[in-house]
Every structure is written in C-alpha cells, then in structure tokens.
Amino acid sequence: MMRDSLPLLLRAARGESVDRPPVWMMRQAGRYMKVYRDLRDRHPSFRERSENPDLSYEISMQPFEAFQPDGVILFSDILTPLPGMGIDFDIVESKGPVIQDPIRQQSQVKALKALEPKESMHFVGEVLGRLRQSVGNRAAVLGFVGAPWTLAAYVVEGKSSKNYAVIKAMAFQEPELLHSLLNHFAESIAAYLRYQIDSGAQVVQMFDSWAGQLSPIDFDIFAAPYQKKVVDLVKSTHPDTPMILYISGSAGVLERMGQTGVDIVSLDWTVDMSDGCSRLPNHVGVQGNVDPGLLFGTPEAIRNRIVDTVIKAKGRRHILNLGHGILPGTPEENARVFFEAGKDVQNLINAAT
Ligand code: CP3
C-alpha cells in the first residue's frame, strides 16, 4: 500500500513494475510556453530566474500546472553551481552561456573552490523542498547536474562551441591540466547531487550533453571515468536514488553509458529504441528517444511515435521522454498531445494492434 503511493516515475525508475511508463520532458519549462515568456519579459535575467527561489519554483511548476507530467524538474541550469566554485557566468539571449574568464591554466584550476552547496546553493535546496511539498506523490521531483566533461567544455571554451577546438587542444596538449579540472568538477558535482537529494530530489539526471563529441577512445579517458566518479560517490551515500545519464549524439558510446553504474540511460533520437535496448544490459533502463522535432508534426504523428517507442521498450524499465530538450517554438498544444498520449498509451496500443 505504502509503495503504491510513491510517485510513478520513482517506482518505475527503481525497476518496480508499473501500469504505464511515466512521462516528462527535458526542458519542459522554458521558452515554448507563453507563461514562461511572459515571466521572462518581467525578469529578463536568466541568473535571476534560476537563482531567485520564488521564480525558480514558479517556473518549475509551470509545466506541471499545464500538463501534469509525472516528473517535475528543478528550473536551473547545469552552469548554476559554477559561481560557488569561483567561476562567473551569464546566459545571454540568442547567444547562450558565456564565461567571462575561461579556464586555460593550471593556476586557475588551483584557485577553484570546492563547492559547498549548503552555502552557495541554498536557493536550490529551498526550491526542491517546496516542489516536493507541492506535488506530493502526484509527480517525482527531479534534480540534475552537468557532468564534468560538459562543464569543462563550457568553462574552457568560454561559450557554446561548434567544434570544441579549445578543449580538444587542452586534451591533446596538456591532458594533466584538463584532468585536474575534471576531477575538481567530479567532486563538487557529487557534493551538489547529494545536496539536491537531501533537499528533496527523488530521481537525478546527469547531462553529459557534449560527451558525444569525443571519439570513444577519448571518451574513455576524459568523460567516462568522471561520470563514473560522480555516480560512485553519490551511490556510496545515496544508493536508493535512481540516476539517469544523458548524452547528445551517444549512438557510438551507448554500451559505455551502460557501464557507468547509472540506473537509466537516456537515448537521443538517432538510435532505434529496439537497437538501444539490445545494446544495453537488461538491468539498465531506458529513457527518451522521441525526436523533439516530432512535436512540430501532427498529433497523429506524435501518438504513433509514442506507441512505437513504448512497444519497442517493453520489458525494460522505461521513462517516456524526448531525445533532447523540447525546442523553442514548439506549439504548446503539441506538448499537451505528447503528455496525454503518454498517459493513455495502453489504450493507443490496444487500438493500434
Ligand atoms: O528541463 C528543464 O525544464 C530544467 C531546466 C534546464 C535548463 N537548462 C534551463 C535553461 C536544464 C535541465 C538545463 C540543462 C542544460 N543547460 C544543459 C543540458 C541539457 C541539454 O540541453 O543538453 C546544457 C547543455 C545547458 C547549457 C545551456 N543553458 C544552453 C545550451 C542554453 C541555451 C542557450 C539558448 O539560448 O538556446 C542554456 C540556457 C537555458 N537553460 C535556457 C533554459 C530554459 C534558455 C534560456 C532562457 O530561457 O532564457
């Protein structure tokens, strides 16, 4: 009885048998929603929207109020912990993240502070606690972090990058410098995840968004060991919190993702769900895989793809999601179709077969 009352997403992520896959969306709060754009007009600074606990809470709840997804993700950014380590950043409209003083030398790495989440990230703890209180068992509260490689890509490049030339120059000229930065991030990010879980996050996702830019041989040196370090540190103190790993462009490293110790691998849309499942061990669950571009299609196209995805993931622990964040400009009605079809998927499957 007690177990049944826990949120569906949490039960599914733990591998319990459930009636349907839970559904949420990466970037489910954000620019495609009019309520978000209106709030952004009143509060144009991204740092304010994500670091003022009232605003972060309000934005986190916007998609829950509109669509009742099975997961509510903290509104924040993977870069939010950087100032607590001594790295300033901003997010500039139509340009993306900007690091004023990119990290290029050992002296800068030495000067970094170990993250003390209770001190520098108190707003996050406050928002997670409020989210848990508000949604109760109607949804699971999700926390998240960026993985060391992806954080390093931003702080070394100084901004979003097309070809990652600066961090690759560092990787292939001064690997010890990069390793010391990655190690610093791994320890601080693990501390941050523990803080999120202690504050109310029930499932956590690690985004190594740009690790798919590495050849597998380099992924094994610069990305995987640090993903694993974060997972091992968090699992050593919080073994019951399910962990999800997402990488964009991950088709070449899927098997490796399954070996990091995470509970669930989040697939992008360039791999078929059947192939993805056959390339991962049975005890590892799957999430994602629906092309965010489908939400520019017809309701019928969206429903058909959800049916296809859910049928192919049958027999696995499965969380229905997109293969990357929902795109700006997506019609809100199509986001609604995605959530509703996800909740009604068993009827859709029965009708289709
Ligand atoms: O999923 C959610 O609803 C939670 C919110 C969330 C944001 N960023 C809010 C945000 C999450 C989970 C992130 C993670 C994040 N941030 C990642 C990993 C996920 C991924 O997409 O691979 C990365 C790589 C970042 C870095 C970052 N922050 C980028 C590339 C951008 C977009 C720049 C742009 O203009 O398109 C941001 C800014 C950002 N973070 C926005 C949002 C809603 C858009 C800016 C805005 O709303 O003003």
Side-chain angles (χ1 to χ4, degrees):
M1 287 299 283
M2 273 303 285
R3 305 200 111 205
D4 264 7
S5 65
L6 290 175
L8 174 71
L9 173 51
L10 178 59
R11 289 186 282 124
R14 284 184 174 160
E16 295 176 25
S17 77
V18 288
D19 294 337
R20 64 167 173 89
V23 54
W24 69 285
M25 264 185 213
M26 288 188 265
R27 293 276 175 96
Q28 65 190 14
R31 287 170 289 188
Y32 78 101
M33 291 186 81
K34 183 170 188 305
V35 277
Y36 178 82
R37 295 193 301 273
D38 289 347
L39 184 147
R40 191 180 60 166
D41 289 343
R42 300 192 300 275
H43 302 280
S45 154
F46 183 88
R47 292 281 303 267
E48 187 200 356
R49 292 197 297 281
S50 52
E51 296 175 33
N52 172 314
D54 293 329
L55 295 179
S56 167
Y57 168 82
E58 182 179 344
I59 297 169
S60 305
M61 289 295 286
Q62 285 175 345
F64 184 71
E65 277 153 11
F67 311 117
Q68 294 81 47
D70 296 301
V72 174
I73 185 164
L74 167 76
F75 184 78
S76 182
D77 198 84
I78 58 168
L79 305 179
T80 304
L82 293 178
M85 294 182 246
I87 306 169
D88 199 19
F89 81 98
D90 203 358
I91 288 181
V92 179
E93 182 63 39
S94 78
K95 192 158 180 254
V98 179
I99 312 290
Q100 281 81 0
D101 196 6
I103 292 191
R104 306 278 165 84
Q105 302 169 30
Q106 192 61 255
S107 59
Q108 291 172 286
V109 178
K110 287 232 167 71
L112 292 179
K113 288 182 272 185
L115 189 72
E116 301 277 3
K118 267 199 193 83
E119 273 135 54
S120 59
M121 317 223 47
H122 203 266
F123 51 94
V124 165
E126 190 184 323
V127 175
L128 288 168
R130 283 166 66 181
L131 291 174
R132 263 296 279 288
Q133 265 213 316
S134 299
V135 303
N137 286 328
R138 292 179 294 161
V141 172
L142 290 136
F144 71 92
V145 291
W149 165 264
T150 292
L151 291 178
Y154 281 108
V155 308
V156 171
E157 296 284 339
K159 52 183 173 15
S160 295
S161 173
K162 235 192 227 134
N163 45 27
Y164 299 87
V166 186
I167 192 170
K168 288 193 178 176
M170 187 185 282
F172 304 134
Q173 283 182 28
E174 301 178 89
E176 325 70 48
L177 170 56
L178 182 54
H179 281 296
S180 62
L181 178 62
L182 292 167
N183 203 53
H184 185 95
F185 282 151
E187 284 167 5
S188 285
I189 284 309
Y192 183 34
L193 273 179
R194 288 167 167 165
Y195 177 68
Q196 292 187 19
I197 297 167
D198 292 341
S199 304
Q202 295 163 294
V203 176
V204 294
Q205 177 156 327
M206 180 156 62
F207 288 96
D208 211 349
S209 301
W210 312 137
Q213 296 288 327
L214 288 164
S215 291
I217 190 175
D218 301 314
F219 180 92
D220 287 342
I221 297 170
F222 298 108
Y226 299 98
Q227 295 166 359
K228 195 161 183 330
K229 181 163 183 170
V230 173
V231 173
D232 289 346
L233 285 169
V234 174
K235 289 279 180 191
S236 74
T237 50
H238 297 76
D240 298 329
T241 302
M243 298 184 77
I244 308 171
L245 175 63
Y246 174 78
I247 297 177
S248 174
S250 61
V253 294
L254 262 194
E255 289 80 0
R256 287 166 166 82
M257 292 175 79
Q259 288 163 9
T260 52
V262 297
D263 304 277
I264 292 166
V265 165
S266 197
L267 304 172
D268 71 16
W269 63 94
T270 64
V271 63
D272 191 83
M273 180 56 95
S274 309
D275 299 332
C277 286
S278 65
R279 291 171 57 191
L280 291 164
N282 276 322
H283 67 273
V284 174
V286 289
Q287 178 183 262
N289 193 233
V290 177
D291 182 353
L294 262 159
L295 299 196
F296 291 106
T298 62
E300 194 190 6
I302 298 166
R303 290 189 195 106
N304 289 344
R305 187 58 54 87
I306 289 175
V307 166
D308 178 73
T309 306
V310 170
I311 287 176
K312 285 174 173 164
K314 252 219 146 53
R316 287 270 168 165
R317 62 179 100 173
H318 177 212
I319 299 171
L320 183 63
N321 202 322
L322 300 174
H324 204 166
I326 184 171
L327 295 162
T330 298
E332 288 184 61
E333 277 319 296
N334 282 352
R336 182 181 308 284
V337 169
F338 182 84
F339 288 116
E340 286 181 353
K343 292 182 185 180
D344 195 33
V345 73
Q346 201 49 57
N347 286 326
L348 295 174
I349 290 175
N350 293 344
T353 52

